[in-house]
Amino acid sequence: MSALERPMPPLNSDERTTLESWLDFHRITLAMKCEGVDDEQAAVASVPPSGFTLTGLVQHMAEVERNWFRRVFAGDQAPPIYDPQAGPDAPDGGFALAEGATLGDALATWRAEIARARELCADRALSDTGSFMGQDVNLRWIYVHMIEEYARHNGHADLVRERVDGTTGV
């Protein structure tokens, strides 16, 4: 049983609450998939040739949070977290594990990026825009994209976790 609470998104709510609730649902799902895993297990790749690891997925999602909310939506010049040499044209990396990378550190960085994303969006309308590839993109689109990004990678996390210790269905 998970120590994390993952509430069901409301079934009949306004658009913003629906989008933010589904995004939080998927964020919590990723955290739940990492519960009870030590650093060695979190560094185990799913199956060759894939290099997906739980730590790498969490690092990647920290980069994705940073990219879409800080760089794209807020216009910050936030450098990549895990590959500073990559520059702003490679914002969604993070999959590779550096020597000494830990799941705990990756989770802390990821949670900090989520907190910053919430701050940046709190007083903004769904129709407010940032810039992506020279075009306006609104917060609504970013929320939908982030839900899709988490849902896809949570599927990857399912497979990695099952490979690590047989846990399924979180």
Side-chain angles (χ1 to χ4, degrees):
M1 188 56 132
S2 174
L4 296 171
E5 182 181 338
R6 182 177 57 183
M8 170 111 168
L11 298 175
N12 188 11
S13 190
D14 63 271
E15 181 182 20
R16 185 180 194 113
T17 300
T18 298
L19 291 170
E20 289 178 347
S21 296
W22 274 108
L23 180 53
D24 284 341
F25 178 91
H26 283 291
R27 286 168 168 161
I28 292 166
T29 298
L30 181 59
M32 291 172 73
K33 292 183 184 307
C34 295
E35 279 189 312
V37 175
D38 63 30
D39 289 332
E40 186 177 324
Q41 291 171 314
V44 170
S46 56
V47 290
S50 174
F52 276 157
T53 67
L54 288 174
T55 300
L57 284 169
V58 173
Q59 289 180 170
H60 173 68
M61 291 313 298
E63 292 285 9
V64 171
E65 291 273 353
R66 176 176 278 224
N67 183 57
W68 284 101
F69 293 110
R70 292 179 67 178
R71 290 188 196 110
V72 172
F73 188 60
D76 290 351
Q77 297 299 312
I81 303 164
Y82 294 102
D83 188 5
Q85 288 75 36
D89 293 334
D92 290 343
F95 285 112
L97 302 185
E99 179 101 18
T102 67
L103 179 59
D105 289 346
L107 287 166
T109 299
W110 172 66
R111 288 182 176 120
E113 290 300 327
I114 291 170
R116 184 67 181 126
R118 287 185 176 129
E119 290 171 14
L120 291 169
C121 297
D123 296 328
R124 305 288 299 275
L126 291 176
S127 58
D128 285 354
T129 62
S131 179
F132 179 64
M133 297 176 64
Q135 297 182 52
D136 286 345
V137 58
N138 65 33
L139 181 57
R140 177 183 294 103
W141 190 97
I142 293 170
Y143 277 157
V144 171
H145 173 67
M146 291 298 292
I147 292 164
E148 172 272 329
E149 183 85 10
Y150 272 100
R152 182 165 41 105
H153 286 313
N154 281 339
H156 296 138
D158 278 336
L159 297 173
V160 175
R161 182 64 191 260
E162 185 174 7
R163 170 92 169 151
V164 165
D165 67 2
T167 299
T168 61
V170 177

